[in-house]
Amino acid sequence: MEGIFFIWLAWIIFVILTFFYNSSSNRNRNIFHVLVLIILSPYEFPIPVSSIHVSLAALYLIIILFLHTRTFNLKQISHLFISSLIIGLCIASFGIFAMIDPVWILFDPTWMLTIILLYLSIILVYQWKLRIVSLLLGMIVGEMLMFMAVYRLGLPYHPFSNSWMDQVAKVGAGNMIWRLFEISATAITQTRFAAKKEV
């Protein structure tokens, strides 16, 4: 079932934010966004003069993302533009090659793409929050490029569908796991440094 991984991860994030975070305006705002995404996930928006249906949750996520980028300075926006363009081209290239020659796909292509995108984002962006924004923007660019390429060939393709939301959830989950590794490595390093100073 398309979208089930996204729903599963969204509920996990909702539980973590609700029960494990201190009450604050930022936390309440994030809870609101997660709930809206969960509520909108079953619904689709038909694009006029076409047979394309776009997930309302995907539209809401794109709007929130672009509103969030307004707070960035020019240097951050330039960095995001370059990194998201590279990520988008990577997604489009992966999708087109998977369609033309699927022999080289070793396992589930969504997980292969998730691993590639995580590796690429870690190389391109150092800060964790900017990395998430860069990944999301890159996935939007990649989906648009993929749609334009497939549409010109006359093949059916539904951009920003529930399967795309599943891909977003997998990339987000992988990014959170990597962030936990970073925090753990920092904590271990600080503990060892403090122990050496005491000796």
Side-chain angles (χ1 to χ4, degrees), residues 17-37:
L17 289 174
T18 304
F19 298 106
F20 297 99
Y21 270 68
N22 295 325
S23 181
S24 64
S25 59
N26 190 37
R27 170 234 186 195
N28 294 334
R29 185 167 59 250
N30 289 333
I31 289 175
F32 172 78
H33 290 322
V34 171
L35 283 176
V36 171
L37 287 172

